Amino acid sequence: MTVTPSGWPARRRAPRAAAAVVAILTTIAALVVPATALADTTTPTPTPTPPIPAGTTAFTLAPISNGIVRPGEALAVSLTLQNETDAPTPPATATLSLGRTPLADRSALTAWLDGETAGVRTEAVTTAAMESVPASAETVTSARVDAADPALAGLAPGVYPLSATYESTTGRVTSTSAIIVPPAGDDDIGIGVLVPITASPIAEGLLTAAQLTTLTAPGGALTAQLDGVTGTAAILAVDPAIPASIRVLGTAAPESATAWLAALEALPNSRFALQFGDADVAAQLEAGATRPLAPTSLTAYMDPVDFVPDADPTPAPTPTADVDPDVPVYPTTAELLDVGPGARGGLYWPAAGTAGPGVLDDLGTIRVDDQASLTVLSSASTAAGAAGETVAAHGRAGDAELLVYDADVSAALESASSLEELSLRGAALAEATAYLAFATQETDGAPLLVSIGRNPERSRVAIGTTVSAASTAPNVTPFTLGGLANSAVTDVEIEDAPEETARADVASALFTDEAELARFATILDDTSLITGPERAEILQLLGLGWLGDDAAWTAAVGEHRTGTRATLDAVGLVPSSTVNLYGSNAGMQFWVRNDLPYPVNLVLYVTPDDLRLDVQRANPVVAQASSNSRVEVPVQARVGNGEVTLDLQLRSRASVAIGDPESVDVNVRAEWETFGLTALAIVVGGLLLLGIVRTVLRIRARRRGADAAAEPATEATSEPKTHAEADAETPPITDTEDHE
């Protein structure tokens, strides 16, 4: 963490949008359920996610209505041909084929969607003429099979294989999908749809006002997420750093951000809070944390002027005692992090495939609000799910309570929610609906949980369409978070997960830095001014949004740790040169550098290496913000001359060493003071005596001169006097004259 002179935690630039898009596309490419073949191969290949690689073409089959075909309804499909080559594609005729034997289970569905068509019998049901596609363009062609067509007649409930093929210059190209004929009269299965409300990863503790303005503006990422879930039964998983970023701004919060927060709070959806910054739970526990970390304080982000209460236009007749209208009223940390009414605490959502039995055991011991914690887990992390079986939503592994989401359905939903083109999104939604059809038949009536995945850069339409497709699929009914948590529990076996060594090592290093900063922060009256932003930034750096962009994450972590070292070096002693000490009693001056935007409380400890010098060992000092402060250290020299080294060390009032120690050489000349005073006394005494003698001599000389001048004048002008007159004029004789 870096503390800037303004007093606010330093802000670092968020990752570029392009990097975020690359990470998103990488994730989608890994999770998307395949359904397309590339034009330069003669075998079926997975459906690509746009943009497709340069120099290739992609063919995608997407059934309309999410692949649902009820008895008496027609089958309509779209055929999308994308061309990223330098030449136009030739016109072609696509053939649509349908199998009349339903796929046996979800494993068979997976194989079919992966292009393994051997052993699956289909028959051509219609054709469609595809026009030439120019270079770097795409076309969408539709095809339809009427409800009265024999190919659709008599289809029993189930999931049926569907494919489209055309002949290219390099061979046959095939795209696979499926249609779903839902059963009639079956009881509905409860389903919960998890939708994360998150922002793109940042290295700062909170979003800035400028970032919030962009994110909550019309068309902004947060606005799109909120609009996408409005009117749905989605279960919201909200990053508490987002409402906290708005609330810490007080009256200075952007209007669009406060409106967004009000809309979030007004939604009736059940919800829970993710980790702050959507931090990686598994990495924290593997790094040695006993439980997932939480923010300690966000005081450093709040400006007092933004929290002064407005004057009451109709004050009470009797003023409330001890209330100062000019004193800011800050919200508590819990109030800042609140994600809305009815939010359930103690829910943890590790990244898919990162939580093994050890992590789940640690999470299972946590109780919040007298409730056992719940861990959201992918079905692929369970033994049954990994074997292709359906896992009910509410599970238990040992003492750990789980909410298990279906991995296959969720992967298809995540792909669909990230696609903007309706024709391509339809392919993923059909796959999700097909997997869901198997899941609803295999839960024995227990509810299901699905997720649309973590992706902060999705459109309102894509999110809304995907959530609606899942919650309105055949034979399902929406469930709330409470409904899932209170449903019957199924024991599950957890598969081992590889430890996230790299992320755990980084988390451990960040925790070590945090502990060092906490000790350093004891120089402040309010230690949270440093420790609060540090914890917030650590959690943001451990956010799951960084997955898929290791280079940007590594750079952000490195920059943060460099800032932490800079903060730890922000307070220290200014180096001193050699000092010459003359006299037995004196005061020495040292300087303390404080680059922090806050005043700090320190004690300067001074230790001499020789008994010639007595110093005051502990010297308290308050070093002012962003300045150098002087420390006066009383010193007393004993008899004797020589060189003494003073060891200087700053410490907090909690005795934590601050900054590097310094040494100062002192030349002691204590005896020179006695010699100098004696000599000075002799000189001053001699000068005083000399001055007295000279003064007396001058007075005598002046009197003699006056007497000599007066005698002749008296003799020449005076007549003889009698003895009586002479006696009367003679002045009395004084003691001084007698002495003379």
Side-chain angles (χ1 to χ4, degrees), residues 522-613:
T522 56
I523 62 180
L524 299 178
D525 291 329
D526 183 1
T527 59
S528 69
L529 295 174
I530 287 179
T531 59
E534 175 66 9
R535 171 62 63 83
E537 291 180 14
I538 286 176
L539 292 174
Q540 292 283 12
L541 288 170
L542 294 178
L544 295 177
W546 294 102
L547 293 176
D549 196 352
D550 289 342
W553 180 61
T554 301
V557 170
E559 184 180 349
H560 174 84
R561 299 197 69 192
T562 299
T564 297
R565 304 317 305 177
T567 298
L568 293 171
D569 190 48
V571 177
L573 284 164
V574 177
S576 300
S577 57
T578 301
V579 177
N580 294 316
L581 181 63
Y582 301 102
S584 58
N585 292 284
M588 299 184 66
Q589 295 181 355
F590 301 101
W591 294 88
V592 176
R593 171 181 52 83
N594 177 19
D595 297 333
L596 295 177
Y598 322 108
V600 298
N601 304 310
L602 298 164
V603 180
L604 174 61
Y605 286 89
V606 183
T607 306
D609 68 345
D610 195 287
L611 296 178
R612 290 186 179 92
L613 208 58

Side-chain angles (χ1 to χ4, degrees), residues 239-474:
D239 178 1
I242 298 173
S245 297
I246 299 171
R247 294 189 180 111
V248 297
L249 297 175
T251 57
E255 184 177 350
S256 62
T258 56
W260 182 92
L261 182 57
L264 172 67
E265 294 172 338
L267 287 177
N269 301 63
S270 59
R271 67 195 69 192
F272 67 93
L274 294 167
Q275 284 282 280
F276 186 93
D278 196 15
D280 189 340
V281 175
Q284 296 176 56
L285 296 178
E286 290 171 358
T290 57
R291 62 187 297 166
L293 302 182
T296 56
S297 172
L298 299 175
T299 303
Y301 295 96
M302 291 186 278
D303 191 335
V305 300
D306 298 326
F307 292 91
V308 176
D310 293 334
D312 189 352
T314 57
T318 303
T320 304
D322 301 327
V323 174
D324 188 344
D326 295 328
V327 174
V329 179
Y330 296 113
T332 65
T333 302
E335 291 170 337
L336 292 171
L337 299 174
D338 182 43
V339 299
R344 176 169 176 144
L347 262 79
Y348 304 99
W349 189 357
T354 64
V359 171
L360 294 181
D361 288 344
D362 290 340
L363 294 175
T365 63
I366 300 173
R367 296 188 66 85
V368 178
D369 298 331
D370 202 29
Q371 286 182 319
S373 65
L374 285 169
T375 302
V376 179
L377 194 71
S378 168
S379 64
S381 296
T382 68
E389 300 177 15
T390 297
V391 182
H394 193 188
R396 179 190 291 120
D399 294 330
E401 296 280 336
L402 308 174
L403 288 180
V404 183
Y405 62 89
D406 191 287
D408 293 327
V409 179
S410 298
L413 291 176
E414 181 171 4
S415 175
S417 68
S418 302
L419 296 171
E420 292 305 312
E421 294 189 50
L422 180 61
S423 60
L424 300 178
R425 190 190 310 135
L429 290 178
E431 294 164 10
T433 306
Y435 277 116
L436 196 53
F438 284 115
T440 56
Q441 298 298 315
E442 298 170 355
T443 65
D444 294 329
L448 294 165
L449 178 64
V450 297
S451 163
I452 70 168
R454 290 172 163 96
N455 183 347
E457 301 293 336
R458 294 182 276 210
S459 73
R460 171 185 60 83
V461 173
I463 295 173
T465 302
T466 302
V467 174
S468 295
S471 57
T472 61

Side-chain angles (χ1 to χ4, degrees), residues 72-290:
E73 294 181 346
L75 168 62
V77 302
S78 66
L79 304 171
T80 304
L81 182 58
Q82 298 167 273
N83 179 19
E84 289 298 327
T85 67
D86 295 330
T89 64
T93 298
T95 300
L96 184 67
S97 300
L98 175 66
R100 291 188 57 84
T101 302
L103 297 168
D105 51 31
R106 67 163 68 207
S107 296
L109 173 62
T110 300
W112 171 256
L113 295 176
D114 284 343
E116 298 176 14
T117 59
V120 179
R121 183 178 178 181
T122 61
E123 296 179 1
V125 293
T126 190
T127 60
M130 297 191 302
E131 299 178 352
S132 173
V133 182
S136 302
E138 67 178 50
T139 61
V140 179
T141 304
S142 62
R144 178 182 174 86
V145 179
D146 291 333
D149 193 293
L152 298 178
L155 290 179
V159 178
Y160 293 86
L162 182 70
S163 67
T165 61
Y166 76 94
E167 297 294 335
S168 73
T169 56
T170 57
R172 176 172 293 182
V173 179
T174 301
S175 178
T176 56
S177 185
I179 65 168
I180 302 93
V181 178
D186 286 2
D187 293 334
D188 287 346
I189 300 298
I191 188 170
V193 184
L194 276 178
V195 179
I197 306 295
T198 60
S200 295
I202 58 174
E204 300 80 20
L206 292 174
L207 295 163
T208 65
Q211 290 169 330
L212 287 170
T213 299
T214 301
L215 291 170
T216 59
L222 289 178
T223 299
Q225 293 177 50
L226 209 59
D227 290 347
V229 299
T230 300
T232 72
I235 299 171
L236 308 183
V238 185
D239 178 1
I242 298 173
S245 297
I246 299 171
R247 294 189 180 111
V248 297
L249 297 175
T251 57
E255 184 177 350
S256 62
T258 56
W260 182 92
L261 182 57
L264 172 67
E265 294 172 338
L267 287 177
N269 301 63
S270 59
R271 67 195 69 192
F272 67 93
L274 294 167
Q275 284 282 280
F276 186 93
D278 196 15
D280 189 340
V281 175
Q284 296 176 56
L285 296 178
E286 290 171 358
T290 57

